[in-house]
Amino acid sequence: LAKTTQPISMDSYEGQEVNITCSHNNIATNDYITWYQQFPSQGPRFIIQGYKTKVTNEVASLFIPADRKSSTLSLPRVSLSDTAVYYCLVGARDDKIIFGKGTRLHILP
Amino acid sequence: EAQVTQNPRYLITVTGKKLTVTCSQNMNHEYMSWYRQDPGLGLRQIYYSMNVEVTDKGDVPEGYKVSRKEKRNFPLILESPSPNQTSLYFCASSNSGGRHSYEQYFGPGTRLTVT
């Protein structure tokens, strides 16, 4: 099981680009990296998933270096509505899915 | 509309009174799962199911039961609820669990209080 380490919290300002890095030193060859966003009292929402290099969708970009021991979620030009908890997930143990504590992102006006 | 539904959304009950929280998905997903979320502890998986009649324990299964008799439904059963099961519960589904952790769709949550 690849344990993930993320910052507990981050602050940023509206209009800025925010980068949240997740460390996963023990990632296995077949593991994918998945990020979720969660607002208070709501279920997590899938943001992006990748295996290597760079993935981009309409919401975010995911950067994965060649060694895959870390990944960075990039949110362009954040707004107040991006204030949420962001979770990095890597692979699964057997068929279990493990969420870490996540990163609490606070966007300031 | 693709969705995961849970019922009830809010429930207050007393210790020892059996209850069931229903979960249903309309996406023909094979993998379904239950989580509980508590302050400071994040999301923890209770049980999961890879397909009909196939269920397995997550990280915190004690005090819970599940069944998967139909692909779309995955009820969570608390035979004898206790106050330490007071929590926010989420049901989720996806095309596959396993190492790829495919995109999961989460329900709106059930807030359970056991007094």
Side-chain angles (χ1 to χ4, degrees), chain A residues 28 30-32 34 36 38 41-44 46 49 87 89-101, chain B residues 31 35 37 40-43 45 48 50 57-59 88 90 97-104 106-108 111:
Chain A
N30 294 332
D31 284 343
Y32 278 66
T34 311
Y36 285 85
Q38 186 181 27
S41 297
Q42 294 186 25
F46 172 90
Q49 183 179 74
Y87 296 94
L89 278 69
V90 175
R93 180 179 63 207
D94 300 326
D95 294 305
K96 297 179 183 179
I97 295 176
I98 308 295
F99 279 81
K101 298 287 179 62
Chain B
Y31 187 96
Y35 297 87
Q37 186 166 38
L41 297 177
L43 278 153
Q45 193 176 42
Y48 62 95
M50 293 295 288
K57 296 177 181 178
D59 278 339
L88 179 58
F90 291 104
R99 304 197 75 82
H100 292 177
S101 296
Y102 287 129
E103 177 178 355
Q104 292 186 83
F106 281 79
R111 188 168 294 279

Side-chain angles (χ1 to χ4, degrees), chain B residues 12-52:
Chain B
I12 301 175
T13 190
V14 296
T15 299
K17 185 177 181 181
K18 181 180 178 180
L19 66 91
T20 299
V21 184
T22 64
C23 173
S24 183
Q25 50 94 3
N26 62 1
M27 295 165 281
N28 201 36
H29 283 165
E30 293 178 346
Y31 187 96
M32 296 188 73
S33 180
W34 276 101
Y35 297 87
R36 62 177 289 174
Q37 186 166 38
D38 304 288
L41 297 177
L43 278 153
R44 295 179 292 168
Q45 193 176 42
I46 303 171
Y47 269 95
Y48 62 95
S49 170
M50 293 295 288
N51 214 324
V52 175

